[in-house]
Amino acid sequence: MTVLNAFAKLTLALLCLGCLIVLNLSAATFVVNSTADSHDINPGDSVAADHLIPDSAFTTFRAAVEEASALPGPDTILIPGHVSPISLLLGSVIVSDNATHVLGETTYPVLDGVNNSLNDATMILAADSCVVQGVTVRRSRGDGILITGACNLVGGGNEVERVVLIGNGLDNQYAAGVAISGSSAHGNVVAGCFVGVHGNGTVVYANRNGVRIDDDAHDNLIGGSSESTRNIISGNAGYGVLISNRPSANRIEGNYIGIDASNATGPGNRLGGILIAEGSSNNVVGGDDPGDGNTISLNDYSGITLSGPLVSDNTITNNLIGMDPDGRLPLGNHGCGIRLELGAHDNMIGGSLESGNVISANEADGVHITGAGTDGNTLAGNLIGLDYQGYVTFSNGDAAHAGARIDDGASSNLIGGANESSRNTISGHIGYGIHISGAGTSDNIVSGNYIGTNGLGLSSSPNSAGVVLSNGAQLNTIGGSSAGERNIISGNRSDVFPNGCGVLIRDPGTDYNHVCGNYIGPDINGARALRNGSAGVVISSGPQYNVIGGITEDERNVISGNGSGDMTAFTARGVHIVGVNTKYNRIIGNYIGLTAAGSGTLANSGHGVGLFAGASCNYIGGTSPEEGNGISGNDWNGVFVHGSTTKHNLIRYNSIFENDSLGIALADSAQNDIRPPVIAEAHANLVSGVSGAANGTVDIYLAASDPSGEGEGELHVGAGLSDMSGQFAVPLTGVVAGDSVTATITDGDGNTSQFALNMIVDPVSTVGDSPEGLPTEFSLSQNYPNPFNPETVIAYSLPRASQVEMTVYNSLGQTVRTLLNEFQRAGDHTVIWLGDDNAGQQAASGIYFYILKTDRHSQGRKMLLVR
């Protein structure tokens, strides 16, 4: 960029701020020729005469400023390069006349304030439209240059105009190289300066702070959108930029804050890059265009901190925070990328995909929102943990940190949004992608983000876990009820379970959170696996009343394609629920193992849903069809429940089919060891049988094909109650002859059983003579005598040769006696039961059921043994 173009952009910036500084229109010019410090003997006489030697041949800097300030109109003070250093000892030099210009030569003559009084600024611009260029201001007792007027310019658009500010603030921790202070201070510009470094922009000489804006100063600009107006604000002992005590509408634009002129390294600023505090509002760090963004890297603490209850409505946009100026290489800050704390509220971090920040490679969290009252902040459109293109990963922090963290009571913050342009991509972290933690941390929303994928949502860029809610966080929402609010939470992996999952909800008190409408495991298209390594969702160690999914299609999570490494019986890869007091959580309306379209499978590499180690009183599905999950295609059981303390879990209204093992499997006395029902008769309008639960709820399902004959219930077709003896008769809808049905029983304590053995619905009776005189239909007759003692005869007919199995069950659904298991010819047959069990012991009096099964048919009846 040419100097003319740079100056044109600077002039435009000043016009936008409501000011125009007029250059080179001075009425008088004073050339400083003395390095002494003395007053003008007679201000207003047009002669800048040394106070001690009243002769214009001895013009001190102070005398020139005093004479210029006494004269009307714009004046110029020139400081030749050989007049240096000018050592000040009589206090601050105050420019009180508008449009005064202080110009040094390219050697940057030095104004040295070390001999001034305590806390004195070297120069105070109390007037308007003044210009300071081409000088070095060093070793001020207080601020290097203090601006209290309006529309002043420090620096400029080319190297000749640069102001170097080094070593200032010797007596005051709040002092700065340049300070803009007071409600009258507006429209000022600091551009093209070295603040904290000198020489070629790499030699450090720290100011106490780099730039300070405070006390209601407003509408000022630090930097600019062109390379030539960039300030290098680095190496300072405090903050690079300090904005505090109610300043508003100021812009920090296009600067290097922490790095030096080499672009590849830098000294940082010791307390952090930028602090916005104490009532600061409506300030902008960065801007709408890429050239407006600052590079804020290598600072000793956080890149940017927003701190305090009245810090609101500030915008942080288009910056590179923790990266080099090209956004390609890591230059992390030694704390967080951005930290919001102590009640900072309603601030915007990013804004859209076009104006988001790159926040990567920082040594703590990418973004940390913390503390009660730190509410209503929005994080949108950012790349967090990735390079500027969204492909190469640069983790923020180690395993103890996160891409974005909300904790310690921060509430009602938004990560993402309901439209595509609000999407954050939060990926590539050694720790969690997003971590929401702590009692009182509530009502935060995470929606519309890519978490664990690259910037296109098509390949994995793993976090150790995607989204984690812990330590009492409540009432937070992950996802939403519209497609735009869907998070893609996929590709997250860790070797340590339960990390490596898409969503982890853990710890007592982490209650009432809602995870809905997300793709957890698939890519953006919902049809290809970007596996979360351990599981899609893990609920662990005591959370209660959390909801995964919802009753509408838009609230459905697709939890599919998860799990890597070897399958184990004690790890569910879709949804894993574990731990004593992990209770009252609801898994409803989800696809678990299916594609987003629901028309194909995308297997979780293990159980679809698993409950373990005392997890109790949870719902898998619910009490209405809308709450049922689709659980299909998983590489082990659809639902697996393990352990004698894992009980009272309700599993109803789900569509469970084509899983590699059982639809529902109970192990090690889970669910109070409830037994599945025994279907005695199945007709198109009614299924009857017996269960081991009195007054329980019997659900009848169309059975998916299963080689084992132990059902998977694909479609719920009826529900009813068992009576006091466990017997049931459930009316059906949508069933025809030849369908297979199965059943579950849920007892009064909420324990749901495995599926019953499949039974084929009886065909309509049509009896006719076959040419061979053989039976034309499968049939099972009532035993005779009935009641009986000691034996009874059971007759049956086979229309075709078949493998035949006949089994007697007691009223608890337990096997008593296998009467047949052999291949038989077509025809009429009988079998006798002697009232004994498989061990040869006599069975007790009671109701028994006998079920005849072939490869195509199944039918049962009941009988009564009386001893």
Side-chain angles (χ1 to χ4, degrees):
M1 176 176 292
T2 66
V3 172
L4 177 61
N5 287 338
F7 179 73
K9 292 200 73 172
L10 181 60
T11 303
L12 178 60
L14 293 168
L15 284 169
C16 291
L17 291 169
C19 306
L20 178 58
I21 297 171
V22 181
L23 300 177
N24 299 320
L25 298 177
S26 302
T29 298
F30 303 97
V31 178
V32 176
N33 58 20
S34 172
T35 61
D37 186 20
S38 61
H39 294 288
D40 181 29
I41 192 170
N42 188 20
D45 64 358
S46 299
V47 177
D50 186 284
H51 182 67
L52 299 176
I53 307 173
D55 185 333
S56 61
F58 294 94
T59 300
T60 66
F61 173 63
R62 186 183 300 276
V65 170
E66 289 172 347
E67 184 61 34
S69 296
L71 295 175
D75 302 294
T76 298
I77 295 106
L78 295 177
I79 308 174
H82 67 276
V83 183
S84 178
I86 296 172
S87 181
L88 303 174
L89 49 80
L90 300 177
S92 302
V93 176
I94 302 173
V95 180
S96 58
D97 186 37
N98 292 346
T100 298
H101 293 59
V102 176
L103 306 176
E105 292 187 346
T106 56
T107 53
Y108 307 113
V110 174
L111 304 176
D112 192 309
V114 70
N115 293 316
N116 268 334
S117 298
L118 189 71
N119 286 321
D120 280 343
T122 292
M123 188 186 307
I124 299 175
L125 301 182
D128 301 340
S129 302
C130 298
V131 175
V132 178
Q133 295 175 329
V135 297
T136 295
V137 179
R138 78 179 185 194
R139 298 202 297 177
S140 180
R141 308 305 309 188
D143 298 315
I145 298 176
L146 171 61
I147 303 172
T148 60
C151 301
N152 298 286
L153 171 62
V154 175
N158 58 57
E159 184 177 354
V160 175
E161 296 167 338
R162 175 181 302 142
V163 174
V164 178
L165 299 121
I166 51 177
N168 298 292
L170 299 179
D171 302 323
N172 187 335
Q173 64 176 328
Y174 297 107
V178 179
I180 304 174
S181 184
S183 59
S184 297
H186 61 85
N188 299 288
V189 176
V190 179
C193 297
F194 286 174
V195 186
V197 294
H198 64 110
N200 63 357
T202 63
V203 180
V204 174
Y205 195 164
N207 302 292
R208 189 62 66 99
N209 295 284
V211 176
R212 187 183 78 250
I213 305 174
D214 66 2
D215 293 347
D216 300 294
H218 60 93
D219 296 286
N220 300 286
L221 172 63
I222 309 301
S225 60
S226 68
E227 182 178 349
S228 61
T229 55
R230 171 193 306 136
N231 298 291
I232 297 177
I233 308 173
S234 301
N236 298 288
Y239 293 98
V241 178
L242 172 59
I243 304 174
S244 68
N245 201 16
R246 303 177 308 279
S248 63
N250 300 286
R251 304 208 315 262
I252 313 300
E253 188 175 289
N255 304 287
Y256 287 177
I257 302 175
I259 66 170
D260 62 23
S262 72
N263 297 351
T265 187
N269 295 285
R270 193 169 301 165
L271 293 183
I274 299 174
L275 173 64
I276 302 176
E278 298 178 12
S280 304
S281 64
N282 291 292
N283 301 285
V284 178
V285 179
D288 293 335
D289 298 324
D292 297 339
N294 304 278
T295 300
I296 306 170
S297 300
L298 291 173
N299 297 286
D300 281 4
Y301 289 95
S302 295
I304 301 174
T305 300
L306 292 87
S307 180
L310 299 178
V311 175
S312 66
D313 300 292
N314 299 286
T315 300
I316 314 298
T317 183
N318 248 324
N319 303 285
L320 295 166
I321 304 173
M323 299 293 288
D324 76 343
D326 293 326
R328 297 175 182 272
L329 297 175
L331 296 176
N333 297 289
H334 301 307
C336 298
I338 300 175
R339 180 180 171 90
L340 298 94
E341 63 181 14
L342 300 177
H345 63 91
D346 296 291
N347 300 285
M348 172 62 75
I349 310 301
S352 69
L353 292 176
E354 292 74 30
S355 61
N357 305 283
V358 178
I359 308 169
S360 301
N362 300 286
E363 292 185 8
D365 303 306
V367 178
H368 189 182
I369 303 172
T370 184
T374 309
D375 303 339
N377 300 288
T378 299
L379 180 64
N382 303 284
L383 291 170
I384 304 177
L386 299 164
D387 72 347
Y388 81 107
Q389 291 183 311
Y391 291 108
V392 181
T393 60
F394 296 104
S395 175
N396 290 290
D398 57 17
H401 298 102
R405 180 190 302 269
I406 305 175
D407 64 7
D408 290 345
S411 298
S412 302
N413 299 285
L414 173 62
I415 299 179
N419 56 72
E420 183 178 359
S421 66
S422 299
R423 176 180 71 239
N424 301 286
T425 301
I426 305 174
S427 301
H429 292 94
I430 297 170
Y432 304 146
I434 297 174
H435 191 186
I436 301 175
S437 177
T441 306
S442 64
D443 298 292
N444 299 287
I445 297 173
V446 178
S447 64
N449 305 287
Y450 293 172
I451 305 169
T453 77
N454 68 6
L456 297 176
L458 292 173
S459 63
S460 300
S461 294
N463 304 293
S464 74
V467 179
V468 178
L469 298 103
S470 70
N471 296 313
Q474 296 185 353
L475 297 167
N476 301 285
T477 300
I478 312 302
S481 58
S482 69
E485 293 173 302
R486 174 188 306 132
N487 298 292
I488 311 299
I489 311 175
S490 301
N492 299 286
R493 299 189 184 100
S494 170
D495 295 334
V496 181
F497 188 88
N499 294 338
C501 59
V503 177
L504 171 60
I505 304 174
R506 61 176 172 83
D507 305 323
T510 307
D511 304 336
Y512 302 105
N513 299 288
H514 193 188
V515 180
C516 57
N518 306 288
Y519 288 178
I520 305 175
D523 70 359
I524 186 176
N525 298 311
R528 186 172 68 90
L530 300 180
R531 298 184 180 278
N532 294 298
S534 62
V537 176
V538 176
I539 306 175
S540 170
S541 305
Q544 299 181 0
Y545 300 104
N546 298 284
V547 177
I548 311 300
I551 63 173
T552 69
E553 181 177 345
D554 288 333
E555 291 180 311
R556 171 192 302 141
N557 298 293
V558 179
I559 308 172
S560 303
N562 297 290
S564 60
D566 295 335
M567 292 189 297
T568 70
F570 303 108
T571 303
R573 301 297 199 169
V575 178
H576 184 101
I577 306 173
V578 61
V580 176
N581 293 321
T582 302
K583 295 181 175 181
Y584 313 117
N585 301 288
R586 299 170 64 202
I587 315 301
I588 59 174
N590 305 286
Y591 281 170
I592 303 173
L594 291 163
T595 64
S599 56
T601 59
L602 191 62
N604 295 296
S605 64
H607 309 301
V609 179
L611 299 103
F612 306 91
S616 300
C617 305
N618 301 285
Y619 276 27
I620 312 301
T623 57
S624 68
E626 295 80 11
E627 294 177 305
N629 303 282
I631 306 173
S632 178
N634 299 287
D635 287 345
W636 211 324
N637 300 293
V639 179
F640 181 66
V641 189
H642 180 271
S644 60
T645 60
T646 308
K647 54 191 176 181
H648 310 319
N649 297 291
L650 182 145
I651 309 167
R652 297 188 62 206
Y653 283 100
N654 304 288
S655 177
I656 304 178
F657 61 101
E658 294 182 4
N659 299 284
D660 273 5
S661 191
L662 299 179
I664 300 172
L666 310 182
D668 195 22
S669 299
Q671 300 283 76
N672 278 345
D673 213 14
I674 189 170
R675 299 301 178 187
V678 175
I679 298 175
E681 294 185 80
H683 303 279
N685 63 342
L686 188 74
V687 167
S688 61
V690 68
S691 72
N695 300 318
T697 300
V698 178
D699 290 294
I700 308 298
Y701 299 84
L702 282 179
S705 176
D706 191 303
S708 71
E710 297 187 62
E712 289 191 274
E714 185 169 3
L715 178 65
H716 191 274
V717 292
L721 297 176
S722 63
D723 64 16
M724 289 294 293
S725 65
Q727 297 184 71
F728 61 86
V730 178
L732 306 181
T733 58
V735 177
V736 298
D739 286 341
S740 289
V741 293
T742 185
T744 61
I745 180 74
T746 302
D747 67 18
D749 293 325
N751 298 289
T752 298
S753 71
Q754 294 184 183
F755 287 110
L757 296 176
N758 293 345
M759 180 168 283
I760 295 174
V761 174
D762 275 348
V764 176
S765 296
T766 55
V767 180
D769 294 331
S770 72
E772 300 177 1
L774 294 174
T776 59
E777 65 179 19
F778 173 91
S779 66
L780 177 66
S781 301
Q782 185 65 52
N783 66 302
Y784 64 89
N786 188 42
F788 71 94
N789 182 22
E791 63 183 44
T792 189
V793 177
I794 301 169
Y796 58 96
S797 298
L798 304 175
R800 57 189 293 272
S802 306
Q803 179 71 28
V804 179
E805 180 182 342
M806 184 179 291
T807 307
V808 177
Y809 298 91
N810 63 19
S811 60
L812 296 178
Q814 297 167 320
T815 298
V816 175
R817 182 78 161 88
T818 300
L819 298 176
L820 293 170
N821 190 1
E822 61 188 42
F823 189 85
Q824 292 187 333
R825 61 176 176 79
D828 297 319
H829 301 269
T830 60
V831 65
I832 298 173
W833 183 37
L834 300 176
D836 56 347
D837 62 18
N838 283 332
Q841 302 296 317
Q842 290 296 303
S845 297
I847 295 174
Y848 292 85
F849 294 84
Y850 56 97
I851 294 176
L852 178 66
K853 291 176 61 177
T854 72
D855 55 348
R856 294 188 178 186
H857 299 89
S858 178
Q859 189 175 352
R861 293 183 182 274
K862 61 184 176 182
M863 55 187 169
L864 178 62
L865 172 61
V866 179
R867 292 293 186 187

